[in-house]
Amino acid sequence: MASDREQPGNNRECVDTVLDVLHLNMETLKDIQGRLHDNMVRGLSKASNPSAVVKMFPTYVRRLPNGSEQGDFFALDLGGSNFRVLLVRLSGDNVEMKSKVYKIATEIMTGTGEQLFDYIAECLAEFKREQGLEDKDLPLGFTFSFPCRQNGLTSASLVTWTKGFSASGVVGEDVAVLLSEACQRKKVNLKIVAVANDTTGTLMACAITDKNCYVGLIIGTGTNACYMESLDEVELWNGDRDEPKQTIVNMEWGAFGDDGALDDIRTDFDKAVDGVTLNKGKQLYEKMISGMYLGEISRQAILALAAKKLIFNGVVPPELQKPWSFESKYLTDIEKDNSTDGGAIKELLTQLNCPSTPHDIATIRAICSAVSTRAAKLVTAGLAAVIKKTGKRTLTVGVDGSLYKFHPRFHSLMETFTRELVPEARVKYMLSEDGSGKGAAMIAAVSG
C-alpha cells in the first residue's frame, strides 16, 4: 500500500488544511473594515485618543497641489542610514530634481543628537555649494520617517527612534528645531517650512498629476496610511479654522490590533513572529502585512508543515531553523516564478539546502501564495475603511513601498478585493514616484 508521502493529492489536502488559517473570507474582511473604522473614530476623538491605538495624527498639511506651484525648494529625506538632499524645481505639473545621497555612519546614528544634526547640516552646506546656491535661503521640506507627534506644520517631536538609530537627546524633542539649530551652528541658510513623514509625501507626490488623490499608502518594510479629512472630524485640531477646512491625517495604522481587536484572526504563525521581534505586542497589523515580516510568517508555516511531515520529508535544514532566515525577497521571487516546473524555486531551495521535489515546490508555492494573499486582503480591508470615511465615489490612492513595487501580484490582488469591498467607489492605485523627495518639496510649496 502506498504511503501518504507517495500520495500527492492526499498531501495537498493536508497542506491546505494547515494553511487554511491564513484564508480570510469576504465576511471577515468586511468585519475588519468595520473594526478599523471604529479605531479611526476613536483616534480622531479628543476624549478617546489617549487610549486609541490608531493615533490619527493631524499633519497640518491642508492643501493639495493645484498645478500653480512654482519655484525652487530643498528637500531633506531622513528615514534610515542613508539620507538624501534634493533640489526640486517646480513649474506647474513639471518637476525637476537633483539629489545626492549621504551615508550616516553607525557612530553618528548612535552618538548624540547634536552630532547627528551637525552632520546633516554639513551635508546640506556641501550640497548647496555644489549647486551654486550657497547664499540662497530656499524653503526646505523635511521628510522625517520616524514615529513623531506632529505639533504643527513646522514642528514634530520624536516619539521613539527605530531602524538602528539611538542618538541621544532627540526623543521628545522637536526635530525641526534641532535641525535649525545645527544649521545656525554650521552657518547654513535654510528655512524649514514643513516637516512630514513618507506617507504624506507619497500622497502629495501623486496629487501633483492626479487631482483625485486623497489617500497615501506605504507597503514596504512597514506599512502606514494617510488621507485628507474634514477639520470637523479632527477633534485634536488646534490650528486655525480658515479655508481649506481640511487636513491630511497620518493614521499610524500599523498599530491596529495592538488592543486585541485582531486577536481572532491572528494565527499561531503570527504569534511566533511577534515572539521573535523587538517590539512584542506592538504593530500587530503591520506584522501581518509588511515586507519585514512576510518571510518569517512563511518560515513559521514551513516549520508547522515540516512537523507534520508535509514538506521536506519532515526535516528542516539548519539554514531555515533561525528566525528571519527565509527572507521576504524569497517570497517575492517564488511568487514571480509561474513556470510549470518551478525552476527558480528549485534553485532557491537548493541554495537553502532544502529538498526540491515537485511536492516541495508546490507546497512552498502554496505557502507564499497564502501569506501574500492574506496580506493584500488585510491592506485592502483597511483601505476600504479609509475610502468609505472619505465619502468619495472616485478617488486615487498613491502607493509607495518595496512590497507593492516588487511583488508580482500585490497590485492586482488589491484591485480585485477593492472592487468586492467598496463596489460603489471607483478606486485607482497609483505608484508614487519619490514621495519622500518630490512630496516633501510639494508640501513646502503648498505651505508657502
Side-chain angles (χ1 to χ4, degrees):
M1 184 177 172
S3 69
D4 278 358
R5 178 69 189 163
E6 293 165 323
Q7 295 179 6
N10 190 10
N11 263 338
R12 183 57 203 257
E13 286 173 21
C14 295
V15 168
D16 289 345
T17 301
V18 172
L19 296 181
D20 193 54
V21 292
L22 295 168
H23 174 68
L24 301 173
N25 61 30
M26 202 47 57
E27 185 182 347
T28 302
L29 294 181
K30 287 178 179 173
D31 192 30
I32 292 167
Q33 171 190 322
R35 295 181 210 179
L36 181 59
H37 175 269
D38 293 344
N39 272 260
M40 292 169 72
V41 172
R42 279 206 293 278
L44 289 167
S45 161
K46 187 177 270 190
S48 53
N49 177 271
S51 62
V53 292
V54 180
K55 282 301 185 185
M56 307 294 285
F57 293 129
T59 65
Y60 298 85
V61 179
R62 299 171 65 180
R63 297 180 188 277
L64 295 176
N66 61 16
S68 66
E69 292 77 24
Q70 305 274 344
D72 293 349
F73 301 87
F74 284 122
L76 175 62
D77 172 19
L78 177 61
S81 56
N82 292 324
F83 77 97
R84 288 184 308 153
V85 185
L86 303 96
L87 173 63
V88 184
R89 185 155 287 156
L90 299 175
S91 179
D93 289 344
N94 186 45
V95 182
E96 294 176 30
M97 293 192 293
K98 295 177 181 175
S99 66
K100 186 168 181 179
V101 175
Y102 295 89
K103 183 159 183 58
I104 305 176
T106 305
E107 55 267 28
I108 293 178
M109 291 168 61
T110 57
T112 67
E114 188 168 306
Q115 286 173 320
L116 173 65
F117 284 97
D118 277 359
Y119 174 64
I120 292 169
E122 287 166 6
C123 295
L124 280 164
E126 178 185 299
F127 184 76
K128 285 186 77 176
R129 273 195 307 275
E130 290 174 356
Q131 298 300 323
L133 295 168
E134 283 174 274
D135 303 323
K136 279 269 192 173
D137 189 4
L138 295 178
L140 173 83
F142 184 14
T143 302
F144 187 78
S145 298
F146 296 90
C148 280
R149 178 174 292 277
Q150 200 90 22
N151 310 309
L153 189 59
T154 60
S155 173
S157 303
L158 179 65
V159 174
T160 181
W161 278 122
T162 55
K163 309 174 195 176
F165 280 75
S166 60
S168 62
V170 185
V171 172
E173 297 299 318
D174 187 332
V175 295
V177 170
L178 295 179
L179 179 59
S180 293
E181 289 173 350
C183 286
Q184 286 170 11
R185 284 193 295 272
K186 300 297 177 181
K187 298 185 169 42
V188 185
N189 292 330
L190 278 174
K191 182 186 178 189
I192 300 169
V193 297
V195 184
N197 70 10
D198 52 353
T199 318
T200 306
T202 294
L203 191 164
M204 294 295 283
C206 289
I208 296 170
T209 51
D210 191 322
K211 306 309 177 197
N212 287 319
C213 188
Y214 297 101
V215 179
L217 173 68
I218 301 286
I219 322 171
T221 308
T223 184
N224 193 16
C226 68
Y227 72 103
M228 187 63 84
E229 180 61 280
S230 164
L231 286 187
D232 291 339
E233 296 288 308
V234 186
E235 291 185 11
L236 295 176
W237 183 253
N238 58 6
D240 67 62
R241 296 266 166 185
D242 300 340
E243 295 291 343
K245 297 181 187 295
Q246 59 183 18
T247 184
I248 294 176
V249 169
N250 166 26
M251 294 177 65
E252 292 294 342
W253 80 354
F256 178 36
D258 289 7
D259 58 354
L262 297 175
D263 281 1
D264 58 322
I265 66 160
R266 291 180 68 230
T267 67
D268 287 343
F269 308 148
D270 298 307
K271 291 166 189 170
V273 170
D274 185 46
V276 294
T277 61
L278 295 174
N279 57 342
K280 292 179 182 61
K282 303 291 184 187
Q283 300 293 105
L284 296 182
Y285 184 56
E286 178 172 83
K287 286 174 183 173
M288 292 189 278
I289 288 170
S290 74
M292 178 174 277
Y293 305 102
L294 297 191
E296 181 60 15
I297 296 171
S298 302
R299 193 187 74 90
Q300 294 295 337
I302 291 169
L303 296 181
L305 287 163
K308 295 178 182 291
K309 293 188 164 51
L310 292 170
I311 192 171
F312 305 152
N313 213 11
V315 180
V316 179
E319 286 81 355
L320 285 183
Q321 287 177 11
K322 289 182 181 174
W324 313 108
S325 55
F326 191 86
E327 299 173 18
S328 293
K329 180 184 180 300
Y330 300 159
L331 173 139
T332 301
D333 289 344
I334 288 164
E335 287 273 81
K336 282 177 180 171
D337 183 355
N338 52 16
S339 64
T340 50
D341 66 345
I345 301 171
K346 186 168 188 171
E347 195 176 312
L348 174 62
L349 290 177
T350 303
Q351 282 175 23
L352 294 170
N353 208 20
C354 299
S356 55
T357 66
H359 169 75
D360 292 321
I361 289 170
T363 304
I364 280 285
R365 268 185 166 147
I367 292 168
C368 293
S369 176
V371 170
S372 299
T373 302
R374 185 186 69 154
K377 282 180 173 179
L378 285 168
V379 168
T380 312
L383 277 173
V386 178
I387 291 162
K388 283 183 181 284
K389 186 78 174 69
T390 69
K392 297 189 182 297
R393 290 300 182 97
T394 302
L395 85 163
T396 296
V397 179
V399 194
D400 204 351
S402 53
L403 184 62
Y404 181 82
K405 281 181 184 174
F406 301 121
H407 191 288
R409 297 194 303 129
F410 224 88
H411 173 81
S412 58
L413 287 170
M414 285 174 60
E415 285 189 322
T416 299
F417 302 137
T418 302
R419 283 193 294 271
E420 294 183 48
L421 285 166
V422 274
E424 71 277 12
R426 285 178 55 227
V427 181
K428 183 174 104 181
Y429 291 104
M430 177 182 183
L431 181 62
S432 169
E433 292 179 30
D434 198 9
S436 48
K438 187 194 296 184
M442 189 53 71
I443 293 167
V446 301
S447 309

